[in-house]
């Protein structure tokens, strides 16, 4: 394989973002919710900093609510990050594969990711239901019911599972097109 062919294959792998799916309503909603959580966290921390420095007074809830917002940002942004191609991948391996090999690799990795995410979603939903049923509350000043900060974990993981399914369907279509193109070349 010449250097120019290898460079061409590497370029075919790099534009993962252009191969990413368009944002659907689930991903858009999760992205906006995580943006709102980020703004709430920033405003709350800024207000707490100002009140501490100017009035020597603390809200005493900014750490707790800021932690809840951080969890919401982390889990609700997963599906939007996935469809926008923001997660890392091993490009030096992908560059050495054929287009069919890359597609098959993405399909296998997507299936394994979906299985792992389904297991996590199942456990998060169980945790959520358990906290709801037993009325668990945080041992803090706010006494926040624990199902509230646990809800973004379950919703975010369910949204990621949905996005992974969308990606897998697109990857199966891509692989079928590549296989059909290969079989046409073999016939000719």
């Amino acid at each position: 394989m010449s250097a120019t062919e290898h460079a061409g294959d590497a370029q075919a792998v790099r534009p993962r973002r252009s191969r990413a799916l368009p944002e659907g309503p689930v991903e858009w909603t999760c992205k906006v919710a995580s943006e709102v959580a980020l703004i709430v966290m920033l405003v709350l921390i800024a207000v707490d900093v100002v009140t501490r420095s100017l009035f020597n007074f603390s809200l005493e809830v900014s750490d707790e609510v800021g932690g809840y917002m951080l969890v919401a940002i982390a889990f609700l942004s997963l599906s939007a990050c996935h469809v926008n191609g923001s997660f890392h991948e091993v490009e030096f391996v992908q560059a050495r594969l054929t287009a069919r090999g890359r597609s098959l690799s993405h399909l296998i990795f997507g299936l394994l990711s979906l299985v792992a995410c389904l297991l996590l979603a199942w456990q998060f939903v169980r945790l959520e239901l358990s906290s709801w049923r037993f009325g668990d509350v945080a041992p803090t000043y706010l006494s926040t019911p624990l199902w509230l900060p646990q809800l973004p974990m379950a919703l975010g993981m369910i949204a990621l599972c949905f996005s992974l399914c969308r990606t897998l369907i697109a990857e199966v279509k891509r692989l079928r097109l590549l296989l059909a193109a290969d079989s046409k070349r073999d016939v000719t």
Side-chain angles (χ1 to χ4, degrees):
M1 175 179 249
S2 72
T4 54
E5 289 173 341
H6 180 67
D9 283 348
Q11 288 290 38
V13 172
R14 281 207 180 90
R16 178 75 173 141
R17 292 176 205 266
S18 65
R19 289 176 22 141
L21 293 174
E23 265 184 10
V26 170
E27 294 86 11
W28 182 85
T29 304
C30 287
K31 182 179 78 173
V32 169
S34 63
E35 290 170 350
V36 167
L38 178 65
I39 291 169
V40 167
M41 184 175 69
L42 291 174
V43 167
L44 186 62
I45 291 171
V47 167
D48 198 41
V49 166
V50 168
T51 58
R52 281 184 188 189
S53 61
L54 294 179
F55 307 115
N56 202 22
F57 167 76
S58 175
L59 297 176
E60 297 184 17
V61 296
S62 61
D63 291 340
E64 181 181 0
V65 176
Y68 297 154
M69 294 299 110
L70 189 60
V71 169
I73 292 165
F75 282 92
L76 292 176
S77 65
L78 290 174
S79 62
C81 289
H82 173 69
V83 297
N84 289 316
S86 298
F87 293 138
H88 65 280
E89 60 182 40
V90 186
E91 290 183 6
F92 74 92
V93 173
Q94 296 289 323
R96 287 171 172 57
L97 298 174
T98 63
R100 183 172 50 178
R102 280 190 298 272
S103 185
L104 192 58
S105 167
H106 288 139
L107 187 63
I108 291 169
F109 183 75
L111 285 170
L112 292 173
S113 298
L114 181 61
V115 168
C117 290
L118 284 170
L119 288 171
L120 282 171
W122 171 54
Q123 290 300 318
F124 287 149
V125 168
R126 286 185 58 214
L127 177 66
E128 179 74 22
L129 292 174
S130 172
S131 295
W132 174 277
R133 187 175 352 170
F134 294 116
D136 295 339
V137 295
T140 59
Y141 180 71
L142 286 179
S143 295
T144 308
L146 288 181
W147 65 268
L148 278 173
Q150 293 169 351
L151 186 62
M153 293 168 34
L155 292 177
M157 199 53 63
I158 291 168
L160 179 58
C161 290
F162 175 78
S163 298
L164 281 167
C165 288
R166 285 185 58 217
T167 304
L168 285 171
I169 291 169
E171 201 61 53
V172 165
K173 289 178 183 176
R174 187 176 298 118
L175 185 60
R176 288 180 66 192
L177 288 173
L178 288 170
L179 291 174
D182 286 349
S183 65
K184 273 188 179 178
R185 259 186 269 144
D186 290 342
V187 170
T188 320

